[in-house]
């Protein structure tokens, strides 16, 4: 059966030393998808770096110059919370390109996947929280700039609030930002999304899925997006080191299925990005991401549960 376009890059596995952010997960997810037969090597498309023009739709020229030349102040480095390097900058640029490719394919094919991306804490003029460049915002802005679509929905289900994305599109009515996250978690200051659903600590599967069901269909029917970008963060997982929503792996699978089927049933092309995931056991993070991709392939092929 036909498969969705799946974008990946070896550049995402950046050496950042001992760190809670497991950059090896991108390679491990890819390897698992191939070894389990979810994907064939021919299904994978390598990400290409984004153009400066596309980056300039979201980020300021001053910030892009800092990224290019590795000129950050001590404060900016602290805010980033991940050691900056030219390799990380290259990885971030390629990642933006990958999300753009996935977004274009989603508009064309209905579903596409990026085995990376979701760096929603990057603002126009600074990076923070492991995020250098906001690939999701760059992809949304690129689709609009190209005239491919006139309304884009961002469904951000990472456990952390999508502060950078919310800020970038605060005054842009063409983009609806929906963030459902753990309220008492990073980032402390949460610039308003178009809809923020801040959940309590230890929310658990039933209340988590009920909140999602309550809001997503309504947003899709009111805003009528022509494309969607989905941040399928693995960090709402109950054994995540940086998340406290107590959602099970099965709950996350139901979440992914619901998001993807809702969008498909409304004829909205969706590009999936992986976003966060910091489980105590790295293999759990990989499994959750693999399940997300498996659900995307199933929905692409027209399956229902
Ligand atoms: Zn996160």
């Amino acid at each position: 059966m036909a498969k969705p376009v799946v974008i990946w890059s070896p550049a995402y596995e950046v050496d950042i030393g001992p760190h809670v952010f497991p950059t090896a997960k991108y390679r491990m997810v890819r390897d698992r998808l191939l070894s389990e037969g979810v994907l064939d090597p021919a299904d994978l498309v390598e990400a290409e770096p984004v153009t400066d023009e596309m980056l300039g739709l979201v980020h300021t020229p001053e910030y892009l110059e800092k990224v290019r030349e590795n000129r950050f102040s001590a404060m900016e480095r602290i805010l980033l919370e991940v050691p900056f390097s030219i390799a990380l900058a290259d990885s971030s640029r390629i990642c933006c390109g990958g999300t753009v490719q996935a977004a274009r394919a989603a508009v064309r094919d209905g579903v596409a996947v990026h085995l990376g991306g979701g760096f929603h804490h990057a603002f126009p003029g600074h990076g923070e929280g492991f995020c250098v460049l906001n690939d999701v915002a760059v992809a949304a802005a690129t689709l609009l700039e190209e005239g491919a679509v006139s309304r884009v929905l961002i469904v951000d289900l990472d456990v952390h609030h999508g502060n950078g994305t919310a800020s970038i599109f605060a005054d842009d009515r063409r983009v609806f930002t929906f963030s459902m996250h753990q309220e008492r978690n990073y980032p402390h200051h949460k610039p308003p999304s178009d809809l923020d659903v801040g959940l309590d600590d230890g929310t658990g599967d039933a209340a988590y899925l009920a909140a999602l069901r309550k809001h997503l269909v309504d947003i899709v029917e009111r805003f009528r997006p022509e494309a969607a970008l989905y941040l399928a963060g693995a960090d709402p997982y109950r054994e995540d080191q940086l998340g406290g929503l107590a959602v099970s792996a099965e709950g996350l699978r139901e979440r992914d299925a619901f998001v993807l089927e809702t969008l498909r049933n409304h004829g909205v092309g969706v590009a999936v990005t992986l976003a966060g995931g910091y489980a105590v056991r790295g293999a759990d993070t990989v499994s959750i991401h693999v399940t997300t991709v498996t659900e995307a392939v199933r929905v692409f092929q027209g399956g229902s549960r």
Side-chain angles (χ1 to χ4, degrees), residues 19 21 63 67 70 72-85 88-89 92 119 121-123 126-133 186:
H19 199 283
F21 176 27
Y63 180 58
V67 172
N70 192 359
F72 290 98
S73 69
M75 192 60 215
E76 286 168 329
R77 287 176 199 279
I78 289 167
L79 210 55
L80 203 53
E81 293 188 68
V82 64
F84 188 82
S85 62
L88 185 67
S92 302
F119 291 92
H121 302 311
F123 286 71
H126 78 271
E128 63 175 69
F130 316 161
C131 302
V132 178
L133 299 171
Y186 175 91

Side-chain angles (χ1 to χ4, degrees), residues 16-39:
I16 54 172
H19 199 283
V20 69
F21 176 27
T23 67
K25 78 177 185 179
Y26 301 109
R27 169 178 50 80
M28 293 163 81
V29 168
R30 173 184 177 274
D31 289 352
R32 276 271 303 277
L33 289 163
L34 293 174
S35 68
E36 291 184 7
V38 179
L39 299 175

Side-chain angles (χ1 to χ4, degrees), residues 9-277:
S9 172
Y12 302 157
E13 188 173 5
V14 180
D15 182 4
I16 54 172
H19 199 283
V20 69
F21 176 27
T23 67
K25 78 177 185 179
Y26 301 109
R27 169 178 50 80
M28 293 163 81
V29 168
R30 173 184 177 274
D31 289 352
R32 276 271 303 277
L33 289 163
L34 293 174
S35 68
E36 291 184 7
V38 179
L39 299 175
D40 299 316
D43 300 322
L44 293 163
V45 178
E46 197 162 335
E48 290 167 10
V50 73
T51 65
D52 289 345
E53 289 72 27
M54 291 177 197
L55 288 177
L57 296 172
V58 165
H59 294 287
T60 64
E62 297 75 24
Y63 180 58
L64 292 173
E65 196 177 310
K66 279 183 195 170
V67 172
R68 210 164 29 240
E69 298 177 4
N70 192 359
R71 278 194 298 105
F72 290 98
S73 69
M75 192 60 215
E76 286 168 329
R77 287 176 199 279
I78 289 167
L79 210 55
L80 203 53
E81 293 188 68
V82 64
F84 188 82
S85 62
I86 293 300
L88 185 67
D90 289 344
S91 164
S92 302
R93 266 190 294 270
I94 294 168
C95 179
C96 287
T99 301
V100 168
Q101 282 164 266
R104 286 178 180 148
V107 170
R108 188 185 64 223
D109 303 338
V111 181
V113 178
H114 184 194
L115 301 182
F119 291 92
H120 57 168
H121 302 311
F123 286 71
H126 78 271
E128 63 175 69
F130 316 161
C131 302
V132 178
L133 299 171
N134 195 317
D135 59 291
V136 170
V138 168
T142 299
L143 287 185
L144 292 165
E145 177 72 13
E146 291 173 342
V149 297
S150 52
R151 288 181 303 281
V152 181
L153 169 63
I154 295 173
V155 179
D156 188 339
L157 301 186
D158 190 277
V159 82
H160 303 102
H161 176 259
N163 57 342
T165 318
S167 171
I168 288 163
F169 295 119
D171 299 318
D172 193 334
R173 297 172 63 87
R174 303 171 302 171
V175 179
F176 192 102
T177 51
F178 169 41
S179 177
M180 194 170 89
H181 48 268
Q182 184 183 8
E183 185 61 32
R184 293 202 316 187
N185 199 331
Y186 175 91
H188 178 67
H189 175 62
K190 300 175 177 64
S193 311
D194 290 297
L195 180 65
D196 281 313
V197 178
L199 300 170
D200 292 335
D201 299 0
T203 287
D205 285 10
Y208 181 80
L209 292 167
L212 176 63
R213 290 194 182 101
K214 178 172 172 219
H215 294 292
L216 185 63
V217 176
D218 188 53
I219 293 168
V220 171
E221 290 182 351
R222 281 172 189 242
F223 180 66
R224 292 179 295 113
E226 295 175 339
L229 291 149
Y230 174 34
L231 291 84
D235 46 12
Y237 179 51
R238 61 185 171 204
E239 289 178 46
D240 196 275
Q241 299 171 82
L242 302 184
L245 283 182
V247 179
S248 71
E250 173 58 21
L252 292 173
R253 189 177 69 84
E254 285 186 45
R255 170 196 74 171
D256 294 338
F258 180 75
V259 170
L260 294 164
E261 289 180 6
T262 298
L263 293 168
R264 181 195 61 193
N265 294 345
H266 286 80
V268 183
V270 54
V272 179
T273 60
L274 300 186

